[in-house]
Amino acid sequence: GHRLFALLLAGGGTTWRQLGIVLFALLSNPAYFDAVKADRSLIEPAIEESLRWNPTNPTFSRVAVNDVELGGVLIPKGAVLDICLGAANRDPARWDNPDAFDLNRPFQQHLGTGIGAHMCLGRFVAQAEMAVTINRLLDHFPNMRLDPAVETPCITGGLEQRGVSSLPVLLS
């Protein structure tokens, strides 16, 4: 009972924040928004790219379970490490033009939701929720666009939680 409840609560904030990030990315680039409207199979790549570009939780803390050397630095057992997945997702050695949201970027594994044993348990549920929501928004509001009469939104937050400052849109 309690574990399921915790899992349901854990995913809510990150899902709506990431949904805001992907919608912001698409609406900020009308050509991408039009491409997704015309070809709904691009919704999944847009979500993946948003997770690479601006994950809602770019930093996680981990405790070293053994003494280990990393990059020539000794990390003692018990040390707390702040792992910045967001920086790895912007590594120019791995990603061309890493600071840009690019709907046409060829897929490579990113760390936006972790990987392996540390992958987010709710990743696939959150991605499905975002895909359904984006599809429904496109069905009902195909002319949705950022409201040019208000301040342009931006990505805000820190290393623990990020999201869009606001997302004022016009629907018709």
Side-chain angles (χ1 to χ4, degrees):
H2 294 301
R3 289 186 186 135
L4 179 59
F5 182 70
L7 181 61
L8 288 172
L9 287 179
T14 52
T15 302
W16 65 257
R17 281 186 191 89
Q18 197 66 47
L19 177 61
I21 290 169
V22 70
L23 287 171
F24 168 67
L26 292 172
L27 291 168
S28 296
N29 187 325
Y32 286 164
F33 189 70
D34 289 344
V36 170
K37 280 194 298 188
D39 181 359
R40 302 292 178 93
S41 71
L42 293 174
I43 292 173
E44 292 294 335
I47 292 169
E48 287 290 347
E49 175 64 357
S50 79
L51 287 163
R52 183 211 60 84
W53 178 60
N54 268 307
T56 58
N57 292 94
T59 304
F60 287 89
S61 296
R62 295 291 183 254
V63 176
V65 294
N66 296 305
D67 289 345
V68 64
E69 186 177 316
L70 181 63
V73 175
L74 177 63
I75 300 170
K77 177 181 179 179
V80 177
L81 303 172
D82 289 320
I83 311 299
C84 190
L85 308 178
N89 287 344
R90 300 272 185 114
D91 182 351
R94 180 167 174 83
W95 307 97
D96 291 333
N97 196 12
D99 294 337
F101 175 91
D102 182 355
L103 183 58
N104 302 310
R105 186 183 303 279
F107 178 78
Q108 293 189 87
Q109 183 62 51
H110 58 76
L111 297 176
T113 53
I115 195 167
H118 298 286
M119 184 178 73
C120 171
L121 293 176
R123 172 188 181 159
F124 299 110
V125 172
Q127 287 179 271
E129 290 172 337
M130 287 186 280
V132 167
T133 301
I134 293 168
N135 266 303
R136 293 305 160 265
L137 286 169
L138 293 173
D139 289 345
H140 294 287
F141 307 109
N143 297 318
M144 183 170 59
R145 62 203 177 283
L146 291 175
D147 185 348
V150 298
E151 187 176 336
T152 303
C154 64
I155 302 294
T156 186
L159 293 176
E160 292 184 18
Q161 291 188 356
R162 299 181 62 98
V164 178
S165 56
S166 63
L167 201 57
V169 297
L170 299 175
L171 299 176
S172 59

